[in-house]
Amino acid sequence: MPYFVFRMAGALGLPERLAEAPSYREAKALMTDLRARSSDDPSLIRMVFAANEIEAADLLTQPRTPDPSMDGADD
Protein backbone atom coordinates (compact mmCIF):
# COMPACT_ATOMS: atom_id res chain seq x y z
CA MET A 1 0.00 0.00 0.00
CA PRO A 2 1.31 3.45 -0.83
CA TYR A 3 1.63 6.61 1.24
CA PHE A 4 -0.26 9.70 0.12
CA VAL A 5 0.61 13.33 0.85
CA PHE A 6 -2.30 15.77 0.99
CA ARG A 7 -2.90 19.45 1.65
CA MET A 8 -5.94 20.12 3.80
CA ALA A 9 -7.45 23.05 1.92
CA GLY A 10 -10.55 25.13 1.61
CA ALA A 11 -13.19 26.19 4.08
CA LEU A 12 -14.37 22.61 4.46
CA GLY A 13 -10.84 21.25 4.89
CA LEU A 14 -11.17 18.95 1.90
CA PRO A 15 -7.89 17.19 1.09
CA GLU A 16 -5.98 17.95 -2.11
CA ARG A 17 -3.61 15.17 -3.22
CA LEU A 18 -0.06 16.44 -3.70
CA ALA A 19 2.02 13.27 -4.01
CA GLU A 20 2.19 9.50 -3.65
CA ALA A 21 5.16 7.37 -2.59
CA PRO A 22 5.71 3.62 -2.23
CA SER A 23 7.64 3.85 1.04
CA TYR A 24 7.43 5.80 4.29
CA ARG A 25 10.92 7.22 3.85
CA GLU A 26 10.11 8.66 0.41
CA ALA A 27 6.74 10.03 1.55
CA LYS A 28 8.33 11.66 4.61
CA ALA A 29 10.96 13.33 2.41
CA LEU A 30 8.25 14.60 0.03
CA MET A 31 6.15 15.91 2.91
CA THR A 32 9.12 17.67 4.52
CA ASP A 33 10.05 19.31 1.21
CA LEU A 34 6.47 20.42 0.53
CA ARG A 35 6.14 21.83 4.04
CA ALA A 36 9.38 23.79 3.63
CA ARG A 37 8.21 25.31 0.32
CA SER A 38 4.66 26.01 1.49
CA SER A 39 3.61 29.60 2.09
CA ASP A 40 0.60 28.35 4.08
CA ASP A 41 0.58 26.70 7.49
CA PRO A 42 2.94 23.68 7.16
CA SER A 43 0.73 21.59 9.44
CA LEU A 44 -1.92 21.58 6.69
CA ILE A 45 0.25 19.14 4.71
CA ARG A 46 -0.41 15.62 5.96
CA MET A 47 0.67 12.08 5.10
CA VAL A 48 -1.50 8.96 5.28
CA PHE A 49 -1.03 5.24 4.57
CA ALA A 50 -3.94 3.74 2.62
CA ALA A 51 -4.89 1.27 -0.10
CA ASN A 52 -5.92 4.02 -2.53
CA GLU A 53 -6.45 7.77 -2.84
CA ILE A 54 -10.16 7.62 -1.98
CA GLU A 55 -9.52 5.72 1.26
CA ALA A 56 -6.68 8.11 2.14
CA ALA A 57 -8.88 11.19 1.67
CA ASP A 58 -11.63 9.55 3.70
CA LEU A 59 -9.24 8.78 6.57
CA LEU A 60 -8.06 12.39 6.64
CA THR A 61 -11.59 13.79 6.85
CA GLN A 62 -12.78 11.51 9.69
CA PRO A 63 -12.66 13.01 13.18
CA ARG A 64 -10.14 11.34 15.45
CA THR A 65 -11.28 9.96 18.77
CA PRO A 66 -9.04 10.58 21.78
CA ASP A 67 -6.94 7.69 23.03
CA PRO A 68 -8.58 6.47 26.29
CA SER A 69 -5.18 5.48 27.70
CA MET A 70 -4.24 9.18 27.70
CA ASP A 71 -7.03 10.18 30.14
CA GLY A 72 -5.51 12.06 33.04
CA ALA A 73 -2.12 12.37 31.33
CA ASP A 74 -2.14 16.14 31.98
CA ASP A 75 -2.32 15.72 35.75
Side-chain angles (χ1 to χ4, degrees), residues 17-51:
R17 180 176 173 253
L18 300 175
E20 178 180 340
S23 71
Y24 174 81
R25 199 171 274 190
E26 291 176 42
K28 178 73 173 172
L30 283 168
M31 185 179 69
T32 303
D33 182 51
L34 289 168
R35 282 181 169 177
R37 292 188 288 144
S38 176
S39 61
D40 297 334
D41 181 8
S43 67
L44 294 176
I45 298 176
R46 310 244 333 256
M47 175 176 58
V48 64
F49 181 66

Side-chain angles (χ1 to χ4, degrees), residues 67-75:
D67 184 358
S69 66
M70 297 300 290
D71 285 344
D74 303 7
D75 299 341

